[in-house]
Amino acid sequence: MNEGESKAVTEILHELSTTSHVQVRSSIELAAQVTKAAAEEDEKRVEDGRGPLRRRTDYRAVGRAPRSLALTPWQVIHAIGLGVASARQGAGRGLAEHWGSLRYNQALEANRGRYLQLSTEGRELLRFYKATQSGEIGTGFASLLAENIVRSRYPDHSVSVIPADIALKAGWSLSSSGAGPRPEPLQRRPHFFVEAWQSGQPSKVILLASKGTHSRAHQVHKQLSTASAHVESVHVGAYGTIPYLLIGTEISATESLTLHALEAPGTTILRTPGKTSGADLDFVLKQGNLMADVMRPTDRGETTIPGFQVLPDSYAWFSVVLARTEAAALTAFTGGGKPTAQYLTKEQGQRHFLYGDRTDPAKLRDAEHRIHDIDFVGTDHIYRLNGTRVEAFSGLKRSLYMHLHHGRVNEYRREVHALRGQWPDHSASGQWNAVSVRADGTVMAIRVLDK
């Protein structure tokens, strides 16, 4: 290892911990452009004999949307990593899957105006990989923007972003078991449920569909029009009443990144009829077998159409699904195994995490670090970055992890909600070059190892 290589890696890690800005755009004009793109797409579909897509069309500009987000590239990488921790069925076991977000270590940098953009490394991709990059980076930015928007509206709540496909698999089959393709509404689904919650109280839930593109704004308009079909497939409560966010990330090769956002405002509360308190989140789920049907009102009453619907008498069940799906993602982020498997049903990928037999509480995970004077338990990965050995660590605050290890989701949420607003926001800590601590108690850190 020569001095130039060492310096280059030090600069990379410094860039990962440098706070920059990402533009956010939301306007009446954006909504009009998305509506126009949807009309053009449906016109082509009609000409092809496929018919128009079912869409939510009640979107508008996001009320009091932030003009920009201030964050570090490492926070984006943390969000990407957490978002896919349980979504790939075996992420805690597969090295490439668990640490997949590290591929973006050199993809983002700040320009002279301190706005995030693609680095030279990020731009020099084969076309085959660009769709994956735009999708994963778009997912990371969308989840961070959604958290910001929802948290600003419910400042006394905690906010969780939960992979929709994993949650839906607790009650429905998302793949075809018979001959022929499934109806389009069952193939197009939102990417996340955003849950605003208080310990012991009924949650508020919002849909999030995210997109990303290396093209210009016109492609964002097309993608958001498609996203309006993704959110139409899932209904919580009466048809068409659940609020949602549509967020598209424009990843230009020459300009700074821009987030485009629209919403359908409203409030959907998972309050079970006759009850004022929240569901018991320690309840162990069994695999559901629900019909993929939605009741849509018509002039003549109601009709059944393909889709996913949660009605009020299932709100308690769905609250448990959301909380335990989040618990699975958190424990998968620390290394997976049986602590993760206990929160998943068979269809959600339980068997992929059923391995190992660690029963000693002192040795639950393979790595422990004290960062910002907080004890974290998790897993690490040592690899070479441009020839220099570095260590990445992903974990959860020890006390929170112990709650989840023993199946105490209620206790986890009670403690993490009490810690709201107390987490350190420093982007580096002692020997760790880049650190991200989230409000859910997870940490992701990276450092250069000694020679």
Side-chain angles (χ1 to χ4, degrees):
M1 179 178 65
N2 59 48
E3 183 178 351
E5 288 177 329
S6 177
K7 182 179 179 181
V9 171
T10 300
E11 290 176 350
I12 291 168
L13 300 188
H14 174 72
E15 190 69 41
L16 287 175
S17 65
T18 301
T19 300
S20 303
H21 298 275
V22 181
Q23 299 180 74
V24 178
R25 295 179 181 172
S26 185
S27 63
I28 297 173
E29 290 75 19
L30 175 62
Q33 290 295 331
V34 171
T35 299
K36 178 181 177 183
E40 291 174 350
E41 180 183 10
D42 284 342
E43 183 177 346
K44 292 180 181 178
R45 289 177 59 88
V46 170
E47 291 175 355
D48 294 340
R50 293 179 293 165
L53 284 176
R54 278 173 33 198
R55 306 175 190 269
R56 290 284 296 266
T57 59
D58 50 347
Y59 48 77
R60 64 189 72 174
V62 176
R64 298 182 181 179
R67 298 185 66 178
S68 66
L69 290 182
L71 41 79
T72 69
W74 193 240
Q75 287 175 298
V76 180
I77 291 171
H78 187 173
I80 295 171
L82 188 60
V84 301
S86 62
R88 295 183 177 182
Q89 293 193 346
R93 177 175 56 182
L95 182 65
E97 292 178 332
H98 187 96
W99 296 105
S101 62
L102 294 181
R103 76 185 74 184
Y104 301 115
N105 275 353
Q106 301 180 70
L108 300 171
E109 66 181 10
N111 60 23
R112 293 181 179 179
R114 303 312 307 171
Y115 277 86
L116 276 179
Q117 64 179 18
L118 279 183
S119 64
T120 301
E121 175 83 13
R123 291 192 296 269
E124 293 179 350
L125 281 178
L126 294 174
R127 182 174 299 179
F128 174 80
Y129 294 107
K130 285 190 174 181
T132 298
Q133 183 195 64
S134 60
E136 292 188 337
I137 289 180
T139 293
F141 280 108
S143 65
L144 291 168
L145 177 56
E147 284 182 52
N148 179 285
I149 292 171
V150 175
R151 189 171 284 116
S152 69
R153 293 177 181 175
Y154 306 107
D156 56 344
H157 286 60
S158 293
V159 178
S160 301
V161 181
I162 300 156
D165 271 5
I166 301 300
L168 291 173
K169 285 178 181 178
W172 295 271
S173 173
L174 302 190
S175 59
S176 178
S177 58
R182 305 194 87 192
E184 276 191 312
L186 303 184
Q187 300 176 42
R188 301 174 185 268
R189 301 178 291 272
H191 299 87
F192 297 99
F193 291 104
V194 184
E195 182 189 11
W197 55 270
Q198 292 176 305
S199 180
Q201 299 298 314
S203 299
K204 300 174 177 66
V205 64
I206 299 166
L207 304 179
L208 167 61
S210 68
K211 296 288 183 177
T213 180
H214 285 274
S215 189
R216 293 290 185 174
H218 70 89
Q219 182 63 24
V220 175
H221 303 154
K222 293 180 180 179
Q223 287 190 333
L224 291 182
S225 72
T226 301
S228 69
H230 284 269
V231 293
E232 202 282 337
S233 67
V234 174
H235 302 267
V236 180
Y239 177 86
T241 59
I242 184 171
Y244 61 84
L245 286 162
L246 310 177
I247 300 177
T249 303
E250 181 184 352
I251 310 171
S252 170
T254 56
E255 306 292 336
S256 59
L257 278 77
T258 304
L259 305 182
H260 302 262
L262 296 171
E263 72 165 345
T267 304
T268 293
I269 302 176
L270 299 179
R271 179 178 291 116
T272 302
K275 294 187 177 181
T276 57
S277 61
D280 180 2
L281 307 181
D282 293 344
F283 180 78
V284 178
L285 287 171
K286 294 183 178 180
Q287 180 63 46
N289 186 25
L290 303 177
M291 295 294 294
D293 291 333
V294 173
M295 297 302 297
R296 182 172 65 180
T298 67
D299 294 338
R300 298 181 179 180
E302 288 185 328
T303 186
T304 301
I305 57 176
F308 310 95
Q309 186 170 28
V310 181
L311 295 173
D313 60 358
S314 296
Y315 281 177
W317 167 80
F318 193 60
S319 298
V320 176
V321 168
L322 293 180
R324 295 181 75 86
T325 301
E326 181 194 28
L330 295 172
T331 54
F333 190 68
T334 70
K338 290 184 178 180
T340 300
Q342 67 179 314
Y343 293 114
L344 299 172
T345 68
K346 178 182 177 181
E347 291 300 320
Q348 287 180 302
Q350 182 188 73
R351 67 182 179 86
H352 295 277
F353 291 96
L354 282 174
Y355 68 95
D357 185 21
R358 293 187 173 181
T359 57
D360 181 358
K363 298 180 180 179
L364 294 175
R365 299 291 84 203
D366 58 7
E368 299 183 25
H369 293 289
R370 188 170 180 82
I371 303 174
H372 292 315
D373 292 325
I374 301 171
D375 291 324
F376 291 97
V377 179
T379 189
D380 57 7
H381 174 38
I382 297 173
Y383 67 107
R384 291 189 180 273
L385 179 59
N386 290 2
T388 301
R389 291 175 72 245
V390 297
E391 176 185 12
F393 171 69
S394 63
L396 182 63
K397 185 177 184 292
R398 168 175 278 280
S399 61
L400 298 174
Y401 176 81
M402 294 304 294
H403 289 319
L404 294 183
H405 173 79
H406 293 292
R408 300 190 298 256
V409 183
N410 291 317
E411 285 299 318
Y412 162 79
R413 286 206 162 185
R414 188 174 295 115
E415 180 175 341
V416 82
H417 186 68
L419 291 170
R420 203 166 32 91
Q422 300 179 36
W423 297 101
D425 58 1
H426 310 301
S427 56
S429 174
Q431 55 190 287
W432 294 95
N433 299 82
V435 174
S436 170
V437 180
R438 290 171 55 87
D440 54 20
T442 60
V443 66
M444 194 165 179
I446 191 169
R447 63 183 175 183
V448 176
L449 291 177
D450 295 335
K451 297 180 182 179

